[in-house]
């Protein structure tokens, strides 16, 4: 069993979002980088659990990023995983990134590709679906549970207003969200081991970018809160009805 | 070359998010001097010709049994077929769960640039630029699409539904009856509830409610307002409420007309998921709660006293009591 876990580096969830160069670039000054939470908490941890259940499982991590992503990849390796592959390219275009991941997936012959349901920076929710189509594999999105018996996966996925349980035979691409696994903290042994785990750097294959980010903007500031005394909730209802016309 | 809109259904009924996508696509068609057509897959209970009242001229319907479950791989192939047959150069999805599952595959299949999470009409002045949310709602970005065929996935609640006169022509088409490789064995619906991302009003609870046993008053308020329920991350992590209700940066991002936060302090990660709500109401006993800075209306007070009275006042207004 070979699993490929797609890892992206994202700003920490508490990072201040600001832009530079006339609002054309994300301001990375003072930003702490983390593994995209969906990639780490759910994909990577579930892959590690599968390896704990079957020691013959091999976990590879892949990221499409510059050398500045290496601390984040080492952290991922400290949690678990056998080796990491960094495709040396920087891009915000999903099609380009998915092209690179698909190439790695093709070469590695993986049974299972895990991606987070989205990254918390560009929120594309696109990589899993794109990689699946590049590889012509089934794609199950928004998984909340993932069980494996041999080469048969039983997956619970969120659907609008409910959930669906489905069975799929590997190979397969799955996008994961809360429920698939629980967050883990790397231990000292893992951190030491990660230092010597292989981190391969490969150059990107030629691929097109179909979109580009032109500029960014921050939401307008709120005018200020209108406070209503605690003993007059009916006044709040009146304001919401008559002034805000919210219901 | 029509604008082609993918219609998502649940239990055979057209989803509200798809009606928004239709109106959005119709508007772009008007602006660019073309017509809007739609494609729907699988069994449908609604009268599709009535979708003409949203401005659709034609609805293409493939009713293979294999399409009754939304399988990304299969849907991608059938939608690519429909896109090629109609010659559509712009395809619109709702950026809901199914849209997120299918649009990326179609993007690869047609080599069409995809913008997901769009929040406004494209700017076609110089090129084709679409505004979308990024950083889970903390900012927005203007994205340029460079390909001849383009795909937009429109965020739910980002575009207003408008009705006019008209009847759509319904055209059946057949797709190769390929079996899905994803075998659905069970579907569980949370019946009678309003889907969170589509809800006009969302009532949300945080740690300030002290425990899952205290959710009754929020359920009562949500029912009165025909609202969806949501919660903060600590509440979902403590299993007081299901993860599907967790709104915030690592949960669901929503943009309802009215968001009522009860006992939620308003951490930056939570605000990211809700700050596209049009009106935010905060009920919290801590006057220093950061959420008040992001709110439009607020009450500093004990939720256990304020919420039942608030609900009663809503019931009175609606004539329920």
């Amino acid at each position: 069993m070979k699993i490929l876990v797609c890892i992206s580096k994202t700003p920490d969830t508490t990072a201040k979002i600001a832009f530079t160069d006339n609002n054309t670039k994300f301001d990375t000054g003072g930003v702490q980088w983390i593994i995209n939470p969906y990639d780490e908490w759910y994909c990577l941890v579930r892959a590690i659990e599968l390896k704990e259940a079957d020691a013959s499982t091999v976990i590879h991590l892949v990221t499409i990023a510059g050398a500045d992503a290496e601390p984040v990849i080492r952290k991922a390796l400290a949690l678990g995983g056998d080796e990491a592959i960094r495709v040396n390219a920087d891009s915000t275009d999903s099609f380009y990134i998915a092209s690179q991941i698909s190439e790695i997936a093709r070469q590695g012959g993986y049974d299972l590709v895990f991606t987070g349901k989205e990254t918390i920076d560009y929120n594309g929710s696109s990589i899993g679906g794109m990689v699946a189509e590049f590889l012509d594999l089934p794609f199950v999105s928004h998984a909340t549970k993932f069980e494996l018996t041999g080469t048969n996966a039983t997956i619970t996925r969120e659907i609008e207003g409910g959930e669906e349980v489905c069975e799929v035979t590997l190979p397969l691409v799955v996008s994961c969200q809360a429920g698939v696994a629980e967050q883990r903290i790397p231990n000292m042994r893992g951190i030491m081991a990660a230092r010597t785990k292989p981190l391969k750097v490969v150059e990107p294959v030629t691929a097109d970018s179909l979109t580009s980010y032109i500029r960014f903007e921050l939401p307008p500031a709120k005018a200020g809160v209108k406070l209503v005394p605690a003993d007059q909730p009916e006044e709040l209802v009146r304001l919401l009805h008559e002034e805000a016309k919210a219901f | 070359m029509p604008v082609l809109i993918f219609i998502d259904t649940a239990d055979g009924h057209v989803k509200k998010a798809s009606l928004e996508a239709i109106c959005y696509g119709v508007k772009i068609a008007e602006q660019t001097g073309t017509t809007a057509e739609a494609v729907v897959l699988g069994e449908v209970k609604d009268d599709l010709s009535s979708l003409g009242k949203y401005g659709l001229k034609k609805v293409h319907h493939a009713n293979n049994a294999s399409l009754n479950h939304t399988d990304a791989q299969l849907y991608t192939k059938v939608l690519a077929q429909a896109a090629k047959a109609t010659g559509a150069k712009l395809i619109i999805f709702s950026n809901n769960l199914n849209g997120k599952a299918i649009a990326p595959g179609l993007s690869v299949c047609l080599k069409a640039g995809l913008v997901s999470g769009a929040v406004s009409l494209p700017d076609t002045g110089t090129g084709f630029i679409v505004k979308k949310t990024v950083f889970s709602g903390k900012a927005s970005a203007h994205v340029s699409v460079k390909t001849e065929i383009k795909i937009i996935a429109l965020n739910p609640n980002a575009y207003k539904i408008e009705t006019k006169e008209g009847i759509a022509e319904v055209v059946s088409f057949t797709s190769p009856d390929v079996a899905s490789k994803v075998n659905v064995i069970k579907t569980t619906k949370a019946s009678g509830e309003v889907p969170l991302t589509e809800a006009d009003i969302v009532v949300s609870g945080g740690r300030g409610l002290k425990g899952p046993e205290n959710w009754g008053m929020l359920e009562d308020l949500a029912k009165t307002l025909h609202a969806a329920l949501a919660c903060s991350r600590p509440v979902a992590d403590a299993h007081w409420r299901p993860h599907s209700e967790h709104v915030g940066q690592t949960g669901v991002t929503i943009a309802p007309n009215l968001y009522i936060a009860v006992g939620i302090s308003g951490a930056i990660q939570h605000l990211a998921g809700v700050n596209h709500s049009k009106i935010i109401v905060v009920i919290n006993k801590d006057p220093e709660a950061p959420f008040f800075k992001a709110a439009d209306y607020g009450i500093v007070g004990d939720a256990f006293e304020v919420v039942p009275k608030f609900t009663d006042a809503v019931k009175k207004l609606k004539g329920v009591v």
Side-chain angles (χ1 to χ4, degrees):
Chain A
M1 166 71 70
K2 276 184 88 178
I3 306 175
L4 184 65
V5 179
C6 304
I7 298 283
S8 181
K9 93 178 196 304
T10 57
D12 179 49
T13 55
T14 58
K16 184 175 166 8
I17 304 302
F19 303 100
T20 59
D21 290 9
N22 210 12
N23 285 329
T24 57
K25 282 200 184 82
F26 174 59
D27 182 0
T28 55
V31 169
Q32 196 161 0
W33 297 93
I34 58 168
I35 311 169
N36 179 46
Y38 295 103
D39 303 346
E40 179 191 337
W41 302 346
Y42 312 122
C43 299
L44 180 54
V45 175
R46 190 67 191 119
I48 295 166
E49 287 170 353
L50 293 170
K51 190 181 169 79
E52 284 165 354
D54 173 6
S56 70
T57 303
V58 174
I59 304 172
H60 287 178
L61 316 179
V62 63
T63 192
I64 317 303
D68 58 345
E70 293 201 355
V72 165
I73 305 165
R74 288 283 174 207
K75 193 201 159 191
L77 286 170
L79 281 160
D82 299 293
E83 69 171 66
I85 304 151
R86 177 171 71 80
V87 179
N88 188 30
D90 220 348
S91 176
T92 54
D93 180 64
S94 306
F95 186 89
Y96 181 89
I97 294 168
S99 302
Q100 304 303 333
I101 293 174
S102 304
E103 185 58 29
I104 298 293
R106 248 182 237 122
Q107 288 172 8
Y110 298 93
D111 303 289
L112 186 58
V113 179
F114 273 147
T115 72
K117 74 156 183 171
E118 65 180 340
T119 56
I120 61 166
D121 48 9
Y122 294 103
N123 307 122
S125 306
S126 302
I127 300 300
M130 286 184 172
V131 169
E133 184 61 25
F134 273 122
L135 302 174
D136 198 23
L137 291 179
F139 173 51
V140 177
S141 68
H142 303 97
T144 57
K145 251 183 217 155
F146 182 91
E147 299 298 336
L148 202 57
T149 316
T151 57
N152 292 313
T154 305
I155 306 166
T156 305
R157 66 180 281 243
E158 186 185 358
I159 57 171
E160 226 66 51
E163 56 180 38
E164 193 172 82
V165 183
C166 56
E167 290 174 338
V168 201
T169 305
L170 303 184
L172 166 73
V173 180
V174 182
S175 83
C176 301
Q177 61 180 25
V180 166
E182 297 278 345
Q183 184 181 2
R184 286 187 183 186
I185 309 290
N187 57 29
M188 191 45 79
R189 207 170 123 230
I191 293 166
M192 298 303 286
R195 289 184 185 170
T196 53
K197 283 182 183 173
L199 196 169
K200 281 200 274 189
V201 180
V202 301
E203 289 306 312
V205 290
T206 308
D208 288 324
S209 289
L210 310 187
T211 60
S212 61
Y213 282 75
I214 304 293
R215 66 189 161 88
F216 297 91
E217 63 186 56
L218 292 168
K222 284 269 182 187
V225 62
K226 196 179 262 189
L227 287 175
V228 176
D231 57 353
Q232 294 172 25
E234 63 285 353
E235 172 62 8
L236 179 57
V237 171
R238 190 192 68 79
L239 285 168
L240 290 173
H241 179 61
E242 292 176 11
E243 188 178 87
K245 303 196 188 309
F247 49 74
Chain B
M1 305 298 167
V3 173
L4 187 65
I5 301 124
F6 169 69
I7 297 180
D8 191 18
T9 58
D11 293 334
H13 299 292
V14 176
K15 299 198 63 74
K16 179 189 156 214
S18 287
L19 297 180
E20 292 164 0
I22 291 170
C23 292
Y24 179 85
V26 165
K27 189 73 185 178
I28 299 174
E30 279 171 9
Q31 287 179 349
T32 53
T34 179
T35 55
E37 300 182 7
V39 55
V40 59
L41 308 182
E43 190 190 5
V44 178
K45 291 170 189 155
D46 293 343
D47 171 18
L48 292 173
S49 66
S50 73
L51 294 174
K53 72 169 180 267
Y54 303 101
L56 282 180
K57 292 285 175 255
K58 220 184 242 187
V59 179
H60 305 267
H61 184 200
N63 191 11
N64 306 35
S66 60
L67 298 172
N68 284 345
H69 289 287
T70 310
D71 169 35
Q73 194 181 22
L74 203 53
Y75 267 48
T76 297
K77 292 195 168 48
V78 180
L79 290 178
Q81 178 198 339
K84 282 174 188 155
T86 57
K89 294 286 175 273
L90 176 62
I91 302 150
I92 312 288
F93 286 83
S94 167
N95 196 40
N96 64 359
L97 291 168
N98 281 336
K100 288 173 183 176
I102 310 160
L106 191 63
S107 164
V108 169
C109 204
L110 300 175
K111 210 172 180 189
L114 163 67
V115 179
S116 58
V119 289
S120 57
L121 291 165
D123 174 0
T124 52
T126 51
F128 191 95
I129 296 168
V130 187
K131 186 175 168 183
K132 65 161 283 181
T133 56
V134 287
F135 297 99
S136 309
K138 288 176 188 166
S140 22
H142 297 260
V143 181
S144 164
V145 187
K146 301 181 244 180
T147 46
E148 191 197 0
I149 306 176
K150 301 165 179 74
I151 304 177
I152 300 176
L154 174 72
N155 266 355
N157 282 346
Y159 198 79
K160 213 169 167 285
I161 297 170
E162 276 175 20
T163 53
K164 36 194 118 184
E165 298 284 311
I167 291 170
E169 180 193 352
V170 181
V171 192
S172 291
F173 74 102
T174 45
S175 66
D177 214 0
V178 185
S180 168
K181 288 179 189 162
V182 178
N183 182 24
V184 175
I185 52 175
K186 197 173 113 192
T187 304
T188 323
K189 296 264 177 193
S191 63
E193 286 177 27
V194 185
L196 182 53
T197 54
E198 291 193 357
D200 274 330
I201 305 179
V202 174
V203 174
S204 189
R207 253 184 311 196
L209 287 173
K210 295 189 168 69
E213 67 280 6
N214 295 324
W215 244 258
M217 65 180 188
L218 290 197
E219 282 164 1
D220 191 22
L221 175 58
K223 207 175 152 200
T224 309
L225 287 168
H226 195 60
L229 279 171
C231 68
S232 64
R233 183 171 168 216
V235 166
D237 280 353
H239 302 295
W240 293 0
R241 300 296 301 177
H243 274 298
S244 56
E245 288 184 7
H246 163 204
V247 294
Q249 191 160 15
T250 55
V252 183
T253 304
I254 55 170
N257 198 29
L258 173 62
Y259 182 72
I260 303 178
V262 182
I264 302 176
S265 63
I268 186 168
Q269 297 94 331
H270 185 78
L271 294 181
V274 303
N275 67 7
H276 277 71
S277 310
K278 284 177 195 75
I279 298 155
I280 293 178
V281 173
V282 170
I283 298 172
N284 201 301
K285 67 177 179 189
D286 177 8
E288 301 297 319
F291 218 152
F292 283 115
K293 288 198 178 72
D296 300 283
Y297 298 94
I299 288 183
V300 180
D302 183 351
F304 295 98
E305 286 170 24
V306 173
V307 172
K309 282 186 201 156
F310 182 83
T311 306
D312 284 345
V314 177
K315 281 182 181 164
K316 208 173 280 173
L317 177 80
K318 292 192 171 248
V320 181
V321 178

